[in-house]
Amino acid sequence: VVGIKVSVYGATGYTGYELYRLLKSHPMVEEVILKGRRTGRLSDFFPTVFEDAEIVPFEEEDDSSVAFLALPHTVSMEHVPALIGAGKKVIDLSADYRFSDAKIYEACYGVSHRDPANLSRAVYGIPEFFTEDIKGSHLIGNPGCYPTSVLIPLLPLAHERLIDENFFVFVDSKSGISGAGRKARENLHFPELYDSFAAYGVWNHRHQPEMEHILSKVAGCNLRVRFVPHLVPMSRGILSTIYFRVKDEVKAMNLLVDFYEEARMISFVEKLPSTKDVRGTNNLLYTFRNEGKEFVVISVIDNLVRGASGQAVENMNVVMGYEESAGLPSLPLFP
Amino acid sequence: VVGIKVSVYGATGYTGYELYRLLKSHPMVEEVILKGRRTGRLSDFFPTVFEDAEIVPFEEEDDSSVAFLALPHTVSMEHVPALIGAGKKVIDLSADYRFSDAKIYEACYGVSHRDPANLSRAVYGIPEFFTEDIKGSHLIGNPGCYPTSVLIPLLPLAHERLIDENFFVFVDSKSGISGAGRKARENLHFPELYDSFAAYGVWNHRHQPEMEHILSKVAGCNLRVRFVPHLVPMSRGILSTIYFRVKDEVKAMNLLVDFYEEARMISFVEKLPSTKDVRGTNNLLYTFRNEGKEFVVISVIDNLVRGASGQAVENMNVVMGYEESAGLPSLPLFP
Amino acid sequence: VVGIKVSVYGATGYTGYELYRLLKSHPMVEEVILKGRRTGRLSDFFPTVFEDAEIVPFEEEDDSSVAFLALPHTVSMEHVPALIGAGKKVIDLSADYRFSDAKIYEACYGVSHRDPANLSRAVYGIPEFFTEDIKGSHLIGNPGCYPTSVLIPLLPLAHERLIDENFFVFVDSKSGISGAGRKARENLHFPELYDSFAAYGVWNHRHQPEMEHILSKVAGCNLRVRFVPHLVPMSRGILSTIYFRVKDEVKAMNLLVDFYEEARMISFVEKLPSTKDVRGTNNLLYTFRNEGKEFVVISVIDNLVRGASGQAVENMNVVMGYEESAGLPSLPLFP
Amino acid sequence: VVGIKVSVYGATGYTGYELYRLLKSHPMVEEVILKGRRTGRLSDFFPTVFEDAEIVPFEEEDDSSVAFLALPHTVSMEHVPALIGAGKKVIDLSADYRFSDAKIYEACYGVSHRDPANLSRAVYGIPEFFTEDIKGSHLIGNPGCYPTSVLIPLLPLAHERLIDENFFVFVDSKSGISGAGRKARENLHFPELYDSFAAYGVWNHRHQPEMEHILSKVAGCNLRVRFVPHLVPMSRGILSTIYFRVKDEVKAMNLLVDFYEEARMISFVEKLPSTKDVRGTNNLLYTFRNEGKEFVVISVIDNLVRGASGQAVENMNVVMGYEESAGLPSLPLFP
């Protein structure tokens, strides 16, 4: 089998490096081309990378089949039209192609969308749920880390209209600090966070409308999400504790237990999962408890793998017709 | 002024040491007598204690005025009758005297209560809320760490019957590992917890009925709490994120802002508080957000100080007529 | 190519799991047989292992070609004779086959060696240095984690008799807590270690004679090592800071820069390396500084990979004639 | 007793806050005046300070008796002449007044000293060793954090000329991240440091000449220190492992055991100390091991207390004739 060439736009952040790490050992990938605003050797940006690589300018042409965009919001949409035009499949890790409706994007990110044509054709990339849409797509909006942890367990319920829209869906999420990106900021300075825990963005984080938008679209009715993210003094992992009410508890229980039975990288578990159970993997584990119609779902992911770069690779796998889990490690780095 | 003598039962655990640390520099305390099942020097149990002290057997008589019991559940009630009989004021940090109703205790802890007479006279020790009851009391049931973080902000609302009993109160709490005590267990082994996050005791933790019992008693109606605790890979601190619905949002907002205005160690704050803001102190900080009648309250405490030993010292202060904050540091150890 | 079968004795500890993780994705390994004193599913011992596996009793026969022993000291030598007798290649991660001289073993571990015949034939498994010996061997004594970090950079110097035996070699090592194993102990309880740092086993740790033995044997003279290990409040990684004097600084510098140039998983680097640079990999990075004949070498490894299971896999690769780095990830999990 | 007024220059960093924390509860201090380049409320710079305070401009006059300067190197010497001129006692936490010889300062910090007159009169502030000098002084150069951990145990040996000057003193120190200050930098970003360990400034850190200068001056001969600092992924604490050779081991052992017997805040201990044993206190613990004339000393301090602000307060105590340990907590915050 001859492998493909892929390019990674934005190679110097955490998700860019994680894409590199996963794609370098992907059985179907022959070459990984790194592109950046800042160029140089990858080892200039990462401590002693063993398999070093050159980062070339964005503008430099290449013959990759798939382009991964690990770029900030609003920067992605400057590059996508040309990449699509060049016949590449594009998987965008920013928020630029997550909302089918440009108005929601604009309300949420405070800028007008400059590529509405492609936006309307983009597919939201939860590979196990929107599989068929992704298969035929040229442009995937890779989901946010928090939404991934919430939507995977809840979408089957939303689709069957089992979530009671008369109640809020309360999402209480906890994330390792790598989710805040690689840029040094005073509030992310080591001693400010160590041995400490806090919430941020209460009910006004940008992932709240993302969850509401996708859940409501799938449910066909207006589901209201109220989201509180918290920062855990650790590097990796997201755990979401999700409170909601269903219309039929027996159907909900069955769906939660059965829906992802065939999925190799999503698992309903009885024991309470920990973020360490999925570290370095693309797996999502979830469990639930209920009292009648009142449910709590608990899910865990690695925010940089399933929450970003790993899911992006999985989306490539689906788009290209590879095995869903190709190149994605299934065993966590433990401890 | 001549200070008093106090005794600490159970000196080798985290809360026992914390009592010692606080009481040794308390301006009204002349002597701290340490008692334990395991005797010896305090430095046998704690690395290099500078002001070393002898731990004497439980049985040894002493002339302390106040006894602090940092003992496991069910052990406290073996000691309390004799201590009360000897005319001492007793502040019990176990769960043995937290429930005015022995049946709830028995359902929750799975043993029959062996001291129902004193139980019926015990006062639940939230010093800023049950001040008058505590003043005249000989026996204080010191609250659990999680309930402290939840009840302080919610009790004023409960008392004014502002919490809507038709909805659950969802309590999503996150605690440092010291809350699990000092005994080594496989699940608390350092590498099993480091860089990881998980929930435990979902909707069946013993602090759930404690919160329900106190809230409902104060509200005069049945409030239902559903509680999910989580372990944060850090040593100290609890943050609770509390979701509930009120009957009148204006009254609720005013009460949340104003109720503790005079309290020196409880503060409503506008910014989102972090556990680091209260480390090593007896302070509780809380804030809230709401959308109409839907509220989220976020509170932080140091689980070993306000959540245990510091609140116990404050209860002594109230019982003895000292200044409420005597001996309690107001500035956190930062960072 | 048809892969081989391998067995792992002692599957429930950290190194056993790490062997499983690496071997499961090894391109030349067809099947991994797990064996233990405690049997059951691997997921009984590890949180939610995705690719679950059965742990069978030690006694159960199998047709593996290579046996990895992740067993405590003294337990390995009970199993090795039979395994060798059955024609298997054995890679032992305990200390039982690290010393060619039984007397040193006995002085160090306080027990008599019960398999001296095999001991005398065992090879000390630093694959890049003792390559030829390992190739023809049936029994490899896999090095200790600390010695690995020290011997790899120093053996070339010892071999060329460049280390001045009139001075001590001071080894100041710092290790993550996973090096202490998986068994819960009070001093490894999470809150006892978090936000704290300490030394242990000063000048009397068992790895001190291991380093002295190998270094001296290779140097052909008596080199004296004085070793101070420290525990870092983190999970993984060892950094060793090594102080020594050489006889000829130019030769020493050249050797340090050049010796491992061809080794894919060992690298001299100019920048100061961090344990994070090698996390989850079998790589060793080292650098040095000198003032005349006075040298300091700094090396980093992942204690569970290069310091244990990864080096064991590499030893298998050499023994079996596979590519040295087969099955060993080269890019660290970062951050 | 009427207390004094003190001022703190540079109130928004870690050492400035720590000075505030300690001085606010100091029994002889009536008022703490905070001064800064950046003015405002203390709570603008620290999360929710309970006892809030105003930070006034440097220029504003005040009637404090003692001025603490928690300022960057080179900034202190701009303020000291005027403060001394105004009759205040000055305790400077920067390096500006640590070297009696301006040339060493200039070689080390790369700038010329602009206040040589005061420099020549400044006293190096290790209160238990230079007690008499400090008593009569108006200007104290408060020692660096690493030098404090090294000099306190070694100065008595140096003074008795017991350290063999023919060998290097190798200092291998490990520090929590708060020692790097409060300014956000990419290499101090939380995920870059978490679960990782590295050295920095090998043999070229500015504290190396500081240790050499003081040790040599006290010894009356040229002692050579080679210093390797490391960053531990934790907030607070320094542990130094110090290797050196003595001329007479019996005298050295006796001196190490006995010298600080009367000091309330310095203790020789037999067990290996941990940084947690001194957290939040001004205590220094040390132990040693030796083989003949070869010694290793291990010492621990809290870098922000004994390594900076606590020692500064102790210096004030000595200068003002207060009890040495006044205002300094003796029991660590544990865990």
Side-chain angles (χ1 to χ4, degrees), chain B residues 14 17 21 43 46-48 50-51 194-195 236 264 267 269 277 279 283 285 304 330-335, chain D residues 14 17 21 46-48 50-51 194-195 236 264 267 269 271 277 279 283 285 304 330 332-335:
Chain B
Y14 292 146
Y17 171 77
R21 182 177 80 92
S43 56
F46 287 94
T48 339
F50 250 69
E51 302 174 357
Y194 191 72
D195 202 13
R236 279 183 177 237
R264 288 192 56 175
S267 219
V269 291
D277 302 348
R279 197 143 149 256
N283 303 334
L285 302 180
L304 293 178
S330 64
L331 289 169
L333 191 76
F334 180 87
Chain D
Y14 292 147
Y17 172 78
R21 183 179 77 93
F46 288 95
T48 338
F50 249 71
E51 301 174 1
Y194 190 73
D195 202 14
R236 282 186 174 232
R264 287 191 57 173
S267 220
V269 292
K271 281 192 281 189
D277 303 347
R279 195 139 150 260
N283 303 333
L285 302 179
L304 293 179
S330 64
L333 191 76
F334 181 87

Side-chain angles (χ1 to χ4, degrees), chain A residues 152-196:
Chain A
I152 288 179
L154 261 54
L155 280 174
L157 301 174
H159 187 258
E160 298 304 315
R161 308 205 168 197
L162 286 168
I163 301 176
D164 191 333
E165 68 267 32
N166 297 309
F167 293 79
F168 283 102
V169 176
F170 288 113
V171 175
D172 192 290
S173 294
K174 301 87 176 175
S175 174
I177 314 297
S178 65
R182 204 180 181 191
K183 196 170 154 35
R185 282 186 279 155
E186 188 171 297
N187 61 326
L188 304 175
H189 189 52
F190 189 95
E192 306 281 317
L193 288 172
Y194 191 72
D195 202 15
S196 194

